[in-house]
Amino acid sequence: MRFALGLILALGLLPAQAQEKRLKIAVVDSGLDFNNPDFKPFICEGHAHIDLTGTGFQDDIGHGTNVTSAITKSQDHKKICIIVVKIFKAFEVNQIPAYAFNQIASVDADIFNFSWSSGPAYAPTERRMISTLIRNRRHIVLSAGNASTDLSKTCNLYPVCYGRLFPN
């Protein structure tokens, strides 16, 4: 994500007004360890964080916390803030209900980070949500998971492989 954030800024992909304000990054994942004082200055105050699991924003498995750590490391808290969007409490990404994607698409963020893989299962509702974000000119960072898989020949990990389905 640090590389992607730097690339987005370097290429001037955000409108000028977005570059002058604190960037809002929605981390769509397993929540956040709100007890960690390192994250406190990075939390977007006054923005609706979303818990789609009904278990609260606390990260039950650590993945969202690790992703947030990678994003905030070496960043100035005056330049970025994090909106927590908790969509799973265990690795159950394939079970995200359709209504959740509508809520995610409505989040007021400059960049959406999806650092998880739902595996080889194509999910039409997940694709529609990403398509909606793209149509609404939202910036998205997608990950292929932690397997360091070469997707140049066979792209079968989602949501990162949806990128091949959208025009450049």
Side-chain angles (χ1 to χ4, degrees), residues 3 8 11 13 23 29 36 61 63 70 82 87 92 118-119 123 136 140 154 160 165:
F3 170 77
I8 287 168
L11 294 175
L13 296 175
L23 287 177
D29 212 289
N36 185 329
I61 58 174
H63 193 267
I82 302 297
I87 59 166
E92 59 196 32
S118 55
N136 292 337
I140 302 170
T154 304
V160 74
L165 303 175

Side-chain angles (χ1 to χ4, degrees), residues 32-34 36-43 64-66 68-70 72:
L32 180 67
D33 179 1
F34 280 90
N36 185 329
D38 294 341
F39 298 129
K40 187 159 180 62
F42 287 99
I43 301 301
T65 298
N66 289 336
T68 301
S69 180
T72 59

Side-chain angles (χ1 to χ4, degrees), residues 24-137:
K24 295 174 290 203
I25 303 171
V27 177
V28 184
D29 212 289
S30 62
L32 180 67
D33 179 1
F34 280 90
N35 296 320
N36 185 329
D38 294 341
F39 298 129
K40 187 159 180 62
F42 287 99
I43 301 301
C44 292
E45 299 296 334
H47 286 78
H49 302 280
I50 297 176
D51 169 27
L52 296 170
T53 67
T55 62
F57 297 108
Q58 191 64 27
D59 191 347
D60 303 316
I61 58 174
H63 193 267
T65 298
N66 289 336
V67 168
T68 301
S69 180
I71 294 169
T72 59
K73 186 176 181 171
S74 303
Q75 293 294 326
D76 182 349
H77 72 275
K78 294 176 184 164
K79 294 186 178 181
I80 68 168
C81 70
I82 302 297
I83 298 173
V84 177
V85 181
K86 184 174 180 179
I87 59 166
F88 54 92
K89 57 187 175 207
F91 287 100
E92 59 196 32
V93 178
N94 293 332
Q95 300 168 12
I96 301 169
Y99 75 85
F101 295 119
N102 294 330
Q103 287 187 273
I104 293 166
S106 71
V107 172
D108 178 29
D110 300 301
I111 301 170
F112 288 78
N113 183 80
F114 299 92
S115 287
W116 39 265
S117 172
S118 55
Y122 176 92
T125 53
E126 183 180 71
R127 182 185 182 274
R128 277 194 301 276
M129 186 248 333
I130 291 172
S131 177
T132 298
L133 291 170
I134 291 170
R135 269 195 320 279
N136 292 337
R137 307 247 185 252

